[in-house]
Every structure is written in C-alpha cells, then in structure tokens.
Amino acid sequence: DVKVTQSSRYLVKRTGEKVFLECVQDMDHENMFWYRQDPGLGLRLIYFSYDVKMKEKGDIPEGYSVSREKKERFSLILESASTNQTSMYLCASSSWTGDEKLFFGSGTQLSVL
Amino acid sequence: SQQGEEDPQALSIQEGENATMNCSYKTSINNLQWYRQNSGRGLVHLILIRSNEREKHSGRLRVTLDTSKKSSSLLITASRAADTASYFCATPPWQETSGSRLTFGEGTQLTVNP
C-alpha cells in the first residue's frame, strides 16, 4: 500500500526551539508539499518541492524553511518556534505523470508552548 | 489565497439520507478534486472531475461541475455513519498540469447520525 509517513503524530515544543517535521513517501513521487491546517482557515500551503534540492514558497512560508536532500524525504523546519505555529501540519506527495491527486500523511499536531 | 469555498460549513443528516455539499471557486480550472478527512487525520482523495466534464460518479459519490457558474457539488447517496468526516474541494493553478500544488477550500463538516 502506498504511503506518506510523518515522523510524529503529536509534538509539544517550547517557544524558541528549532523544530523538525519529517515526511517520507514510498511512491517515488517527484512532488512533495507541506500544508498547515487551522480551524476556520482550511489548508494553507507552506512550501513545496518538485525535485530533489528544489523548493518553492507557498502561500505562508514565513517562519519556515524546508529541506529535500533525497527524493523520498521532505523536511519542514521551524527555525524558532512560536505559539502562532501551533497547528496541524500535513505532508503530501504527488507524481507528475498519471494521477493528479495528492497523497497525504496522517498529520502532525504541533503544540508550541 | 482561498480558491474554493464550500457550502454549507456544517451538515447533519440521518443515516440513509443523501448529503450534498457545494464548492465555489474563483478562477478558471483544469480540474477540481474532492477530498475527505476523518477527524484528526490526513486527507484522502475521493474523485477528480476535469473542466470538460459535467458529471462523474464513483460508487455512492456523484460530482457535478458547472464551469459557467464556477461551482461544483458533491453528492453522497444513502449516507452511512462512517461517512462522517470533513469534505474539501481543491483546485490546481490554472494551466498547470499533473501533480501540481492544490488550493483547498475550508471544508464542509458532515455528520451522519445513526
């Protein structure tokens, strides 16, 4: 079964900490995405990547960075976590060919205290 | 930026009834997709309808697309308690092809009561 795996289901961090959210997909997909989901705001795109070592800003990149050193792995980095980054973070992947749909991980609920 | 807007925000029905959710969008599209999210989990793709299609079926799901009104609807027939979830419409940027980033609406929370 195809899978997008996010390293943590729940995460609690302190303000100012550097936070790494990891995402791995086993479908050999070229494209990977990070979204955050907040009540009343829906899903908002943070960063995405169409290839290894490539990254593009989404709609809300401020306070975040990403890393894609290998095709299967896309990391989201909060350089200095703040309380307004408390959210559900969703990783997704897709292929340039065939299906046009996104495959999502189960999400990481991050709380920044 | 928000492309799709779902309506209603919340819907509560009895098992066996049909559920209809609507999505409106602002710009031209190549396709429109519907996703489902169970509480606290990731999203799962349900169905994709292309801009040159008017209606599409998948099991108990029926999706329509009216590009002149920039709107789509998702109908779930003979609903079950297990259909309780949030439903989102999503669209890729105009003229971008496969695998592109999607913009999601805020979703409709469907509750199916046993």
Side-chain angles (χ1 to χ4, degrees), chain B residues 52-86:
Chain B
N52 60 355
E53 297 175 309
R54 291 296 166 259
E55 189 171 311
K56 200 163 182 179
H57 296 254
S58 177
R60 293 184 296 114
L61 304 180
R62 175 184 161 232
V63 170
T64 61
L65 180 64
D66 187 336
T67 52
S68 67
K69 295 181 179 177
K70 290 188 168 56
S71 68
S72 174
S73 67
L74 171 67
L75 168 68
I76 304 174
T77 60
S79 64
R80 306 165 181 166
D83 293 328
T84 294
S86 292

Side-chain angles (χ1 to χ4, degrees), chain B residues 23-109:
Chain B
C23 168
S24 59
Y25 57 91
K26 297 172 186 169
T27 64
S28 296
I29 58 170
N30 291 316
N31 69 69
L32 185 142
Q33 303 178 35
W34 285 90
Y35 287 78
R36 165 196 168 122
Q37 183 182 34
N38 287 75
S39 180
R41 309 300 292 182
L43 280 73
V44 176
H45 181 267
L46 293 176
I47 195 165
L48 179 153
I49 187 165
R50 302 194 183 281
S51 58
N52 60 355
E53 297 175 309
R54 291 296 166 259
E55 189 171 311
K56 200 163 182 179
H57 296 254
S58 177
R60 293 184 296 114
L61 304 180
R62 175 184 161 232
V63 170
T64 61
L65 180 64
D66 187 336
T67 52
S68 67
K69 295 181 179 177
K70 290 188 168 56
S71 68
S72 174
S73 67
L74 171 67
L75 168 68
I76 304 174
T77 60
S79 64
R80 306 165 181 166
D83 293 328
T84 294
S86 292
Y87 293 83
F88 296 85
C89 64
T91 55
W94 171 236
Q95 293 186 327
E96 288 197 22
T97 54
S98 295
S100 181
R101 65 194 186 279
L102 298 179
T103 299
F104 288 82
E106 293 182 22
T108 293
Q109 172 61 51

Side-chain angles (χ1 to χ4, degrees), chain A residues 9 31 33 35 37 40-41 43 45 48 50 59 88 90 94-96 98 100-102 104-106, chain B residues 1-2 31 33 35 37 40-43 45 48 50 88 96-102 104-106:
Chain A
R9 184 78 185 89
N31 313 318
F33 309 85
Y35 288 87
Q37 183 177 24
L41 296 175
L43 278 79
L45 182 62
F48 59 101
Y50 287 159
D59 298 320
M88 169 70 95
L90 293 162
S94 69
S95 174
W96 276 119
E100 297 180 35
K101 61 187 181 184
L102 295 188
F104 280 85
S106 294
Chain B
S1 58
Q2 209 67 7
N31 69 69
Q33 303 178 35
Y35 287 78
Q37 183 182 34
R41 309 300 292 182
L43 280 73
H45 181 267
L48 179 153
R50 302 194 183 281
F88 296 85
E96 288 197 22
T97 54
S98 295
S100 181
R101 65 194 186 279
L102 298 179
F104 288 82
E106 293 182 22

Side-chain angles (χ1 to χ4, degrees), chain A residues 3-59:
Chain A
K3 248 186 157 177
V4 178
T5 303
Q6 295 184 230
S7 53
S8 303
R9 184 78 185 89
Y10 299 97
L11 211 51
V12 179
K13 295 292 180 181
R14 297 235 174 250
T15 303
E17 279 192 76
K18 190 168 185 175
V19 181
F20 293 85
L21 302 182
E22 306 286 348
C23 176
V24 177
Q25 50 92 7
D26 65 359
M27 295 166 280
D28 200 35
H29 282 169
E30 297 83 6
N31 313 318
M32 297 189 75
F33 309 85
W34 276 106
Y35 288 87
R36 66 176 279 178
Q37 183 177 24
D38 301 284
L41 296 175
L43 278 79
R44 293 178 292 167
L45 182 62
I46 306 171
Y47 266 97
F48 59 101
S49 169
Y50 287 159
D51 200 354
V52 176
K53 298 203 185 285
M54 176 269 183
K55 60 185 178 185
E56 291 283 347
K57 292 180 180 179
D59 298 320

